[in-house]
Amino acid sequence: DHEVVPQLIQRFKRPYIVHKTIMTYGRGESLIAEQIEDWEDNLPKYIKLAYLPAPGRVRLRLTARGENEKDLLEALEIQIKELYRLIGEIIIGIDEDESIEIVVGKLLKEREVTLSLAESCTGGKMAEVITSISGASSYFKGSIVSYATEAKIKILGVDESLVTNFSVGSEEVAKNMALQSQKLFHTDYAIATTGNAGPNKGDSDAKIGTVYIALAT
């Protein structure tokens, strides 16, 4: 650190290498690649793009290499702005290697708003993920895991006629679940999930693999 590195810096001409990582959620690598293909093909030769996929998310890492660090940073900013124009709806941040539950938690905390859940096919998994974050109690009020149809009606308070007329795994029931959770927990936001995960149909008439997600605000 004190002898070798300073001498190497003095003796050799070294390019700057600058990285920027764009965090995206909710869209697969192949679809993102298709949407930004023209942009990627027209990147300056000194800027390279790497796809770093993981379950539920894809990180897009831009690497610029050249003689002037300031110019490289400015060039990366220009490219990032273009990415926001193309796929801004799935970008959650830059250089933040954080999970979606951390990012959502920060936003809820900053805005001083609260969240509740009504889960059916997800079986409490969403609540587990949200409460794994330290400090979640400041914005997360709770969840009702109304896995059975009876629990949806008797505990969550879903309108029985909606279940009868539209099936338990339907858009109408999902909406009502979210509204009931919002009402019961007195939250600003509520998310509900219902559907048919399979392998059997159960009480739902929905095709296996069908999932409805509702957001009440």
Side-chain angles (χ1 to χ4, degrees):
D1 286 344
H2 301 290
E3 295 292 335
V4 178
V5 172
Q7 285 191 46
L8 289 172
I9 290 170
Q10 260 189 347
R11 192 171 299 183
F12 297 101
K13 186 177 180 181
R14 299 156 298 106
Y16 286 96
I17 301 173
V18 181
H19 300 287
K20 286 285 182 182
T21 304
I22 297 91
M23 307 289 293
T24 75
Y25 266 86
R27 194 168 296 167
E29 178 187 359
S30 58
L31 183 54
I32 293 174
E34 186 180 317
Q35 290 179 300
I36 66 174
E37 183 179 6
D38 290 341
W39 167 84
E40 184 179 356
D41 289 344
N42 288 289
L43 280 173
K45 291 188 181 299
Y46 59 88
I47 297 179
K48 303 296 181 186
L49 173 67
Y51 293 84
L52 306 171
R57 67 176 183 169
V58 178
R59 288 179 295 154
L60 303 173
R61 189 176 65 198
L62 286 170
T63 301
R65 184 187 178 104
E67 301 294 327
N68 189 304
E69 185 178 24
K70 184 171 179 272
D71 289 347
L72 295 177
L73 289 169
E74 287 175 357
L76 287 180
E77 286 303 317
I78 290 169
Q79 298 304 327
I80 289 169
K81 282 180 182 176
E82 184 62 14
L83 264 184
Y84 267 99
R85 188 184 69 79
L86 294 169
I87 54 168
E89 70 278 6
I90 61 167
I91 296 174
I92 63 159
I94 308 294
D95 294 333
E96 294 180 23
D97 194 7
E98 296 180 338
S99 63
I100 191 72
E101 56 269 22
I102 292 175
V103 174
V104 169
K106 282 182 176 179
L107 289 171
L108 292 170
K109 194 180 288 187
E110 284 169 9
R111 296 174 188 184
E112 297 182 339
V113 291
T114 54
L115 172 70
S116 61
L117 305 173
E119 298 187 67
S120 182
C121 58
T122 46
K125 181 64 177 178
M126 292 173 69
E128 178 194 352
V129 169
I130 290 169
T131 55
S132 68
I133 305 304
S134 177
S137 59
S138 65
Y139 52 83
F140 182 61
K141 290 287 190 76
S143 175
I144 292 179
V145 184
S146 51
Y147 202 64
T149 302
E150 184 182 15
K152 289 179 181 66
I153 295 165
K154 292 187 176 178
I155 298 173
L156 187 55
V158 168
D159 186 338
E160 191 171 359
S161 67
L162 293 176
V163 176
T164 304
N165 294 329
F166 300 102
S167 164
V168 71
S170 65
E171 178 182 335
E172 289 76 12
V173 168
K175 286 180 179 178
N176 201 231
M177 287 172 66
L179 289 167
Q180 285 300 112
S181 177
Q182 185 186 32
K183 179 181 173 184
L184 287 168
F185 287 102
H186 304 288
T187 52
D188 299 289
Y189 298 95
I191 299 172
T193 61
T194 187
N196 195 342
N200 303 311
K201 279 206 168 186
D203 292 340
S204 175
D205 292 336
K207 183 180 176 183
I208 290 173
T210 302
V211 176
Y212 292 94
I213 304 169
L215 171 65
T217 72

